[in-house]
Amino acid sequence: MTLTTTPRIHASLLILGASVFLLSAYNANFWRTFVSATGGLGLSHLPLHLGSFVLLVLLFNACLNLINFRFVVKPLLVLLFMATSATYYFMNEYGTAIDKSMIQNVLETDVHEAFELLNWKLLLTITLLGIVPSMLVWRTQILFCAGKRGLILQGANIGGSLLVAALLLLLFFKSLAPALREHRELRFLLAPTNYIQAINGYLKQQRARALVVAPLGMDATRHASAGANSQRSVTLIVVGETARAANFSLNGYARVTNPQLAQQPDLLNFTDVQSCGTATAVSVPCVFSALGREHYADDKARAQQGLLDVLAHAGFGVLWRDNNSGCKGACDRVEYEDLSQADPGNTWCVDDECYDERLLDGLPELISKARKDLVIVLHQKGSHGPAYWKRAPAAFQRFGPVCRTNQLESCSRESIVAAYDNSILYTDHFLNQAIELLKAAGEKERVSTAMLYFSDHGESLGEHNMYLHGAPYVISPVEQRAVPFMLWLSEDFRSRYHIDQRCLAARTGQSFSHDNVFHTVLGMHRIGTAVYNPGLDIVGPCTHEA
Ligand SMILES: [Zn+2]
């Protein structure tokens, strides 16, 4: 007589076990890279490595509990094991990280090519890491807590996991944040989230291809008095990177980080301005869209023209110069110059990067040649971290001692802040150079000039043990949201567009945000269109009729 017993397990234990299994069995590549990115194996790094393992187990546990229901959890776990085992094989065999172009390759491979990839090693991997665990799960009887009590337990399980994960994240933040930022490949190595994200990205890309960009502000025209003057106008919009308001001496910071701008008599420094997001990829497209923070979404912004299009409709020449990672869709239909690639022949480039002053190269000639009113966007590298010390030339390494590594945990907070402050000191110089360039062009070419500067988001520098940026907006610390914002208008510009400087100076202490940029740029150039909202125009109330 044979006695077969069906193995039984409680649903929550099954999910915890599956989380541990996913992270241990399929992620050799990920852990190898992670360990070397965080300083290698060693007793001193053991808490960090163990803590990170537990952190990921808890996150997986929270996610998988969302599908932990009778009739759902078994087939989904089987699917997960099968797909992850195949992914594991390809990652190990070909050393590939999984991203959306990889998914595109897979999905666009024909049947013949697919058969060529089949071999015994693949079958063995799928059997051991896919079929075996799947059979085990399939044969097991899963015990669920019934009804309301079951749901409450599951909710508590998810909430508890996320809470402990958040605590672990805070505890190891100083080590984890730079490692994840410097080793972006890690997210393409972690299975199964890598291929799930990649499939999602691929689908998004397919949808974006079909996208028709809706026109905006086709009715844009310039006010008669603005167009009548024969003098052209040139406006620089400087988009800063990772500059936080708190570290500008113009905003009361104790270190003198703005020695040059403090000497510009007509510069208006706005002291209370909030960013749209806490990361470049959100703030940059948001600030150039007409959506405003509350209504902003990545796909909405891409489906609609933005500020630069409206300026073009109004007859302006528009150029985007970039020393960062691109304009994230904000400049899609205007002229674009990528100045971020190192050029050994260029004075501003050292090793593999270029200082922001490169953005000013050739601008006087460009201004002189233009026949239209111009708006030129300069996208800085600014204070991009964690390698702050790389952002400023030797002449601006004034504060110290300076942290000279990406591994922030090996630096004191003071040395991290000192490196950051030097990058602000260099931005001070860069902005001052831009204003001086405009002044010179104003005299030589008889053009009316203006500059608007704001940063895309701020930065955490150790407050609440947080570093860098990118925290979810609703819970983000103010350091990541409070950005510098400055406006400089030449006398010619003010008289051409009838702007009252004193009135503007009286507004510099009021609360503004990135939402004001779109309408302020339209307002300061006296561009009329139905999409213009005078309520959000900072300059508007300070203009008067000729
Ligand atoms: Zn940024």
Side-chain angles (χ1 to χ4, degrees), residues 304-500:
Q304 194 184 62
Q305 294 186 350
L307 175 61
L308 303 184
D309 299 286
V310 181
L311 289 168
H313 299 327
F316 282 75
V318 183
L319 165 68
W320 182 293
R321 295 188 130 193
D322 206 281
N323 188 28
N324 200 307
S325 54
C327 72
K328 321 289 175 197
C331 66
D332 278 358
R333 289 158 298 277
V334 301
E335 201 184 328
Y336 178 82
E337 277 182 64
D338 180 6
L339 301 180
S340 68
Q341 303 306 313
D343 171 1
N346 190 292
T347 3
W348 306 114
C349 300
V350 177
D351 298 331
D352 56 350
E353 72 172 71
C354 307
Y355 296 121
D356 281 331
E357 276 172 275
R358 188 184 187 191
L359 290 168
L360 304 176
D361 268 2
L363 275 194
E365 295 75 23
L366 212 138
I367 292 171
S368 152
K369 268 197 305 195
R371 291 292 153 260
K372 283 180 175 180
D373 289 339
L374 290 180
V375 170
I376 302 168
V377 182
L378 305 178
H379 191 195
Q380 281 186 270
K381 190 132 193 186
S383 305
H384 194 272
Y388 305 119
W389 86 95
K390 285 189 181 170
R391 303 289 105 86
F396 298 88
Q397 302 288 348
R398 189 170 303 166
F399 310 112
V402 153
C403 173
R404 284 183 165 269
T405 166
N406 290 330
Q407 286 173 348
L408 295 182
E409 76 274 14
S410 55
C411 289
S412 68
R413 192 178 156 198
E414 291 68 36
S415 65
I416 295 168
V417 174
Y420 182 83
D421 287 344
N422 288 330
S423 74
I424 300 293
L425 187 67
Y426 180 56
T427 285
D428 175 74
H429 171 73
F430 168 71
L431 293 174
N432 193 63
Q433 290 297 99
I435 293 173
E436 291 303 325
L437 185 151
L438 289 177
K439 282 184 186 167
E443 279 184 15
K444 186 159 166 268
E445 313 289 343
R446 296 205 34 74
V447 289
S448 344
T449 55
M451 184 192 78
L452 170 64
Y453 163 73
F454 52 85
S455 180
D456 61 344
H457 51 75
E459 185 84 324
S460 282
L461 291 170
E463 298 83 9
H464 326 288
N465 200 30
M466 287 179 88
Y467 287 86
L468 307 173
H469 56 264
Y473 198 86
V474 285
I475 57 157
S476 61
V478 64
E479 295 83 15
Q480 297 190 19
R481 279 181 280 118
V483 289
F485 189 105
M486 297 171 202
L487 189 60
W488 176 85
L489 308 171
S490 67
E491 216 178 307
D492 282 340
F493 192 95
R494 278 180 265 142
S495 80
R496 175 175 171 180
Y497 291 112
H498 314 296
I499 300 168
D500 181 347

Side-chain angles (χ1 to χ4, degrees), residues 233-269:
S233 77
V234 176
T235 302
L236 294 182
I237 299 178
V238 181
V239 181
E241 175 61 62
T242 316
R244 63 186 225 177
N247 288 46
F248 280 61
S249 49
L250 285 176
N251 293 324
Y253 188 51
R255 271 186 178 146
V256 183
T257 48
N258 302 126
Q260 299 189 19
L261 288 178
Q263 303 299 316
Q264 286 291 352
D266 292 335
L267 184 71
L268 299 161
N269 177 57

